[in-house]
Amino acid sequence: MGALHLVRSHIEPGVLGAAASVSVKLIMICSVVAWLLRTERIPADTATTLSKLAYHLLIPCLMFVRVSGTLSTIESPMLLVSIAGVATLQAALGAACGLLLGPLVDGAYPRAWAVGGWHPLRPSRPALEIAASLADAAGLDRARADALAAQPAPAPQGSRQLLVLACAFGNSFTLPAILLSTLFSGARADACVGYAALCLLVLDGLVWSVGLGAVRAATPGAPRRSLPEALRASLNPPMLGMLAGVAAGLTPLLRPEDALEARTLAAVGLTRFLVLPLATTLALRAVPLPGVGPLPLLVLLLQSTMPPAQNLVILLQLSRGTRQDAPRFARTLLKLYALGTLPVTLWVTTFVAQAGLALG
């Protein structure tokens, strides 16, 4: 009773109702659509048609409106960098858990690792007992009874990638916005929803780049893509909508302080986010490095598209002659990190697709 009372004391009825209402609405919509499809009241290809419409039109428009509106309200690029870093770490941790637990779900781990005699790719105990009885009745060797038992179906193609994506990416905006609007009201609710939209900016960018690339890579017989093909795949409609939203939303925030900073942003951004990754990619394709597999190659490619090092600010602080330039360069560095979020995402997606790697 004590534990039950403790649980009840930590349940907010309004929050519970908001969370439950979202789940109920989703279940009702899916149930109605499934009934319409099963009774043939709507064509069987309706879901595919609506998904294509959402992918090519609705989601890009939604991304543009949300991203541009959210970015135009933040006062400092440091907030965007901090939220982007934490959201990316959460997604990486979730993906790591999915990779770790994947073999336990789809049964890819060795049969010797069975727990209490259970293994997802071995018949159940009742099935083995029935098979043993059939073997005795037929006069067969009981050691071969396993062949008579019903075998569990293997995991579908791509299930490991979907598991990793489900662990990595959660509902980053809709459900948090409903819960936050229930907890707070007025300006605080609007501010919380705006911060949730910043998380959406980062996580949706990863979903439509890394996530979509992982799903496509899991397709049976998917060929290894060339660099132009990988770039075209990265610039899909949702990502283009996000890029347009970022351009519209960050224009006031990332406006250079003067002509010197504008030239610095242009020169460093062009070098770090275009020239170096493109040159490195072409060079490593033309001259393969001996003993370098896909994973080391991916790490080398990643190094070419990273923003400038933060330690450069410390170097400026250590010298009396350049100490006064450190604050200015730090502000420029923050703007470069904010500007580099999407180029880095696109290049990483391109590198992974080019290397033929997939999550899982």
Side-chain angles (χ1 to χ4, degrees), residues 288-301:
L289 299 178
V292 176
L295 290 178
L297 180 63
L298 177 62
V299 174
L300 291 175
L301 291 170

Side-chain angles (χ1 to χ4, degrees), residues 282-296:
L282 296 176
L284 292 179
R285 284 172 62 89
V287 184
L289 299 178
V292 176
L295 290 178

Side-chain angles (χ1 to χ4, degrees), residues 6 9 24 45 58 70 72 123 142 149 152 155 235 257 276 299 313 319:
L6 180 63
S9 64
V24 170
D45 60 349
L58 300 182
T70 301
S72 63
R142 296 195 63 173
L235 293 174
E257 296 180 2
L276 280 179
V299 174
V313 179
S319 175

Side-chain angles (χ1 to χ4, degrees), residues 121-172:
L121 294 185
R122 289 185 60 186
S124 63
R125 191 181 300 275
L128 290 176
E129 293 175 355
I130 295 173
S133 300
L134 292 175
D136 291 340
L140 300 177
D141 185 4
R142 296 195 63 173
R144 302 175 58 188
D146 285 4
L148 300 176
Q151 302 293 327
Q157 180 74 26
S159 59
R160 178 78 65 86
Q161 285 79 5
L162 293 178
L163 172 68
V164 173
L165 294 177
C167 292
F169 303 113
N171 188 320
S172 57

